[in-house]
Amino acid sequence: MLPLNLILVDDHHLVLNGLKASLEKCHFISTIHTFTNPKKAISFIHKNKIDLVITDISMPEINGIEFIKKIKQYDATLKILVISMFKPLHYEKNFYDGYLLKDTDITIIIEAIQKIVYDQRTFFFEEISDLKTLSFSKSIVTKREKEIIQLIAQEFTVSEIAERLFISKHTVETHKKNIFYKLQVKTNVGLVKKAFQLGYIS
């Protein structure tokens, strides 16, 4: 099993850094290069040997599909795995080799990488058993954020959370914003519901 050189492309630093940190633990991955700018990723691909590109679809400057088409024009054999927040209305299967959602467990993402690169197979989210779909988001929530999730679930206000944790209200708001983004929720109700699903609260 030859070690792999990967590129991660996503305009959100939290997702990018969380995924990189998880994949760096894999013994079969040699290097991981990250980009928030698709144009810079294209330039890097033209100059380096890459085994797999993991990218989002929704990105500024260059649409994800256009980004994939551009790198496929340069190297039609380059493997592409899309990891997105959204289920596609239709697949562009001629352009990528796999499509997973951002709430996919990291173990499934690793399995997809192995099947796409080593087994020369495609891997799409419909293939995943419901029993195995945990959440990639779960792996990137910090200990402090988990504490704040539990307090929100108990209906503590921002001021009360700040007082209990001996931090400022601004810090609580920042943590809360990050939690909402990582778990892809917009309200406290949505957060509590997602937290139950992930096992943060019971």
Side-chain angles (χ1 to χ4, degrees):
M1 184 180 288
L2 295 175
L4 304 181
N5 296 318
L6 271 59
I7 280 185
L8 309 181
V9 186
D10 197 301
D11 60 314
H12 293 104
H13 288 279
L14 288 173
V15 173
L16 200 62
N17 294 335
L19 182 55
K20 181 183 179 183
S22 297
L23 293 180
E24 282 177 333
K25 301 173 185 177
C26 297
H27 68 278
F28 63 87
I29 295 177
S30 175
T31 59
I32 303 174
H33 303 277
T34 61
F35 295 90
T36 56
N37 186 316
K39 291 182 179 178
K40 291 183 179 180
I42 292 170
S43 177
F44 186 86
I45 289 168
H46 287 181
K47 301 173 184 177
N48 298 272
K49 181 184 181 302
I50 301 299
D51 299 295
L52 176 71
V53 175
I54 299 177
T55 182
D56 196 357
I57 286 293
S58 178
M59 295 187 293
E61 294 193 41
I62 300 178
N63 174 275
I65 294 298
E66 290 303 313
F67 166 64
I68 293 169
K69 288 179 179 179
K70 286 180 181 294
I71 58 178
K72 282 288 190 178
Q73 288 171 358
Y74 173 76
D75 182 358
T77 66
L78 185 56
K79 299 297 183 181
I80 308 290
L81 171 61
V82 173
I83 300 182
S84 174
M85 288 171 52
F86 308 105
K87 293 182 180 180
L89 297 177
H90 64 280
Y91 282 123
E92 298 276 359
K93 289 189 177 181
N94 291 332
F95 300 114
Y96 44 76
D97 305 280
Y99 196 113
L100 297 175
L101 304 180
K102 284 186 176 177
D103 64 350
T104 301
D105 185 79
I106 187 63
T107 59
I108 305 298
I109 294 174
I110 292 170
E111 180 183 352
I113 292 171
Q114 291 175 310
K115 289 186 176 179
I116 289 170
V117 179
Y118 294 121
D119 300 338
Q120 301 292 304
R121 289 181 52 189
T122 58
F123 197 99
F124 292 85
F125 66 87
E126 293 99 332
E127 301 175 35
I128 304 170
S129 164
D130 288 339
L131 296 176
K132 297 174 75 176
T133 53
L134 302 175
S135 177
F136 163 63
S137 303
K138 187 173 181 179
S139 68
I140 60 174
V141 173
T142 67
K143 181 180 179 181
R144 173 63 83 189
E145 289 168 348
K146 291 177 184 177
E147 292 175 337
I148 291 173
I149 289 171
Q150 292 168 355
L151 292 173
I152 291 173
Q154 296 173 51
E155 299 186 344
F156 285 97
T157 66
V158 168
S159 296
E160 290 169 337
I161 293 172
E163 184 177 345
R164 290 178 69 91
L165 298 181
F166 304 102
I167 57 179
S168 69
K169 291 192 293 183
H170 175 72
T171 300
V172 174
E173 291 286 6
T174 299
H175 281 306
K176 188 174 177 181
K177 181 179 178 181
N178 290 339
I179 291 166
F180 275 36
Y181 175 73
K182 288 181 180 181
L183 300 188
Q184 298 300 310
V185 296
K186 297 180 179 179
T187 65
N188 284 357
V189 173
L191 171 62
V192 172
K193 181 179 178 181
K194 191 67 171 285
F196 270 116
Q197 294 173 347
L198 297 175
Y200 292 142
I201 54 180
S202 58

